[in-house]
């Protein structure tokens, strides 16, 4: 949210720019190979932006593969960033797989960022398994985070895309595992944990015995409780399929980076990357009980 708000003024700056839609841009939009050739022969710049996009972006966006080939043969930059994104972003979609492959073969960077997410995230978002495969085969990082912290696997699981999720899992996804923290709990700062909880977790979680669920389940007595068992909560498959009670180490893992350690989780927040903060927080969670579990 914070990031997209930042982008609005940028976009507004772009939109009023007078469109210099030269002949080559119209020709690219229409996939008119002869007109593109004529424009280039007459001296048009192959990478000229019409204020929002290059001819290659427009040709790809409109699905004109011959026009895209011609522009690339005539030296168009396959990685040119335009106000609308890179040509790769315009090639996203099941019906455009040939264009996507053309760009990747022509040197398009599979890890290029779109406005807020890498191309692989966009492909997952669209549920385009072929696009995902093409990007990964060309070297896209399956562990890349979007600006909001989402991983491709998390998005695939949230979207119920089993095939995409299985493909990513078998192509290098690494689920982060934090170092054990149990032995550090005895010296933790519970008060700092409480403050952190109130600020970061409180908006989504109740911590009083009588409080109900909010967006997330009530966390009274969460340590030692069976996972995903609060009544009236609709849990994700990711949590429902995680066996056992909440141990300190399982909390450590969930809280490190929920969307990466527990892909598909409904708790979409960046996580608590700082170990000391995480330890303080887990020590505080332990106190949310009539009879706190013993410290290790
Ligand atoms: C944006 C809302 C949100 C925030 C912020 C949030 N959570 Fe959650 N939390 C959820 C949701 C939703 C679930 C259910 C997840 C699922 O089913 O995948 C959940 C689940 C949990 C669970 C599992 C409980 C159970 O019943 O099995 C724990 C533990 C937890 N959160 C702890 C925390 C802590 C600690 C913080 C602060 C660092 C936090 N959460 C921040 C929304 C949030």
């Amino acid at each position: 949210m914070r990031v997209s708000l930042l982008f609005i003024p940028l976009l507004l700056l772009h939109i009023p720019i007078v469109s210099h839609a030269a002949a080559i841009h119209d020709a690219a939009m229409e996939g008119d190979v002869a007109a593109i050739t004529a424009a280039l022969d007459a001296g048009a710049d192959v990478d000229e932006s019409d204020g929002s996009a290059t001819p290659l972006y427009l040709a790809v966006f409109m699905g004109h593969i011959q026009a895209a080939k011609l522009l690339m043969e005539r030296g168009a930059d396959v990685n040119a960033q335009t106000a609308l994104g890179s040509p790769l972003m315009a090639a996203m979609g099941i019906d455009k797989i040939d264009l996507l492959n053309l760009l990747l073969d022509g040197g398009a960077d599979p890890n290029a960022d779109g406005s807020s997410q890498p191309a692989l995230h966009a492909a997952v978002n669209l549920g385009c398994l072929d696009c995902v495969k093409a990007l990964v085969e060309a070297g896209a990082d399956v562990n890349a985070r979007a600006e909001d912290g989402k991983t491709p696997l998390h998005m695939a699981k949230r979207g119920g895309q089993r095939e995409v999720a299985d493909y990513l899992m078998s192509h290098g996804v690494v689920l982060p595992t934090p170092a054990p923290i149990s032995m550090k709990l005895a010296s933790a700062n519970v008060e700092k944990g409480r403050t952190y909880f109130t600020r970061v977790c409180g908006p989504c979680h109740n911590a009083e015995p009588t409080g109900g669920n909010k967006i997330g389940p009530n966390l009274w007595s969460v340590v030692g409780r069976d996972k995903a068992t609060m009544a009236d909560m609709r849990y994700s498959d990711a949590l429902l399929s995680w066996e056992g009670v909440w141990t300190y180490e399982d909390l450590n893992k969930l809280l490190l980076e929920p969307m990466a350690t527990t892909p598909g989780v409904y708790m979409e927040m960046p996580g608590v990357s700082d170990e000391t903060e995480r330890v303080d927080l887990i020590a505080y969670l332990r106190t949310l009980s009539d009879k706190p579990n013993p410290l290790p």
Side-chain angles (χ1 to χ4, degrees):
M1 201 44 160
R2 185 173 54 88
V3 174
S4 31
L5 283 177
L6 272 176
F7 271 97
I8 291 171
L10 289 177
L11 286 173
L12 290 178
L13 277 178
H14 275 288
I15 291 163
I17 291 175
V18 184
S19 167
H20 300 296
I24 189 165
H25 295 102
D26 293 339
M29 287 278 278
E30 277 150 31
D32 186 338
V33 173
I36 295 171
T37 308
L40 289 171
D41 289 348
D45 175 359
V46 73
D47 285 328
E48 190 191 330
S49 171
D50 67 352
S52 49
T54 59
L56 179 58
Y57 181 99
L58 296 172
V60 171
F61 183 77
M62 297 303 286
H64 300 310
I65 193 154
Q66 293 310 330
K69 270 186 193 157
L70 171 65
L71 288 161
M72 285 167 64
E73 277 160 20
R74 299 286 296 252
D77 178 1
V78 288
N79 289 306
Q81 278 299 333
T82 73
L84 298 176
S86 67
L88 206 55
M89 284 299 184
M92 221 49 83
I94 296 167
D95 55 332
K96 289 190 179 163
I97 193 70
D98 291 344
L99 278 157
L100 185 62
N101 281 318
L102 177 73
L103 291 169
L104 290 169
D105 290 345
D109 176 5
N111 290 305
D113 273 18
S115 54
S116 60
Q117 60 182 0
L120 185 56
H121 290 70
V124 173
N125 218 3
L126 286 169
C128 176
L129 178 60
D130 287 341
C131 308
V132 169
K133 286 182 178 171
L135 288 164
V136 171
E137 275 160 28
D141 177 5
V142 293
N143 293 299
R145 271 58 162 174
E147 271 176 7
D148 57 11
K150 287 182 184 146
T151 63
L153 180 61
H154 172 72
M155 290 173 67
K157 292 212 165 183
R158 277 302 309 259
Q161 300 167 27
R162 263 194 99 120
E163 269 187 299
V164 174
D166 289 347
Y167 178 84
L168 292 168
M169 277 303 287
S170 58
H171 285 80
V173 167
V174 177
L175 305 179
T177 331
I181 48 88
S182 299
M183 299 317 288
K184 299 186 175 168
L185 288 170
S187 54
N189 187 327
V190 174
E191 264 321 299
K192 277 193 178 165
R194 181 199 309 277
T195 308
Y196 190 97
F197 182 93
T198 307
R199 182 168 58 83
V200 179
C201 323
C204 293
H205 289 287
N206 252 318
E208 271 88 57
T210 52
N213 301 324
K214 289 186 179 175
I215 296 169
N218 185 307
L219 292 182
W220 179 256
S221 274
V222 71
V223 174
R225 183 167 93 196
D226 253 331
K227 294 190 184 81
T229 50
M230 288 306 285
D232 302 328
M233 253 313 283
R234 204 173 65 80
Y235 287 98
S236 65
D237 289 342
L239 271 204
L240 288 169
S241 61
W242 190 352
E243 301 281 314
V245 301
W246 282 114
T247 62
Y248 300 124
E249 295 305 346
D250 283 354
L251 286 167
N252 185 33
K253 188 172 156 191
L254 172 76
L255 296 174
L256 172 71
E257 197 186 353
M259 296 184 279
T261 64
T262 318
V265 76
Y266 290 168
M267 181 164 132
E268 293 190 314
M269 51 98 69
V272 189
S273 57
D274 184 275
E275 187 188 79
T276 307
E277 284 180 333
R278 223 164 49 244
V279 171
D280 292 348
L281 179 61
I282 294 168
Y284 166 69
L285 292 177
R286 174 183 168 269
T287 67
L288 302 177
S289 169
D290 291 329
K291 200 166 148 281
N293 271 28
L295 284 169

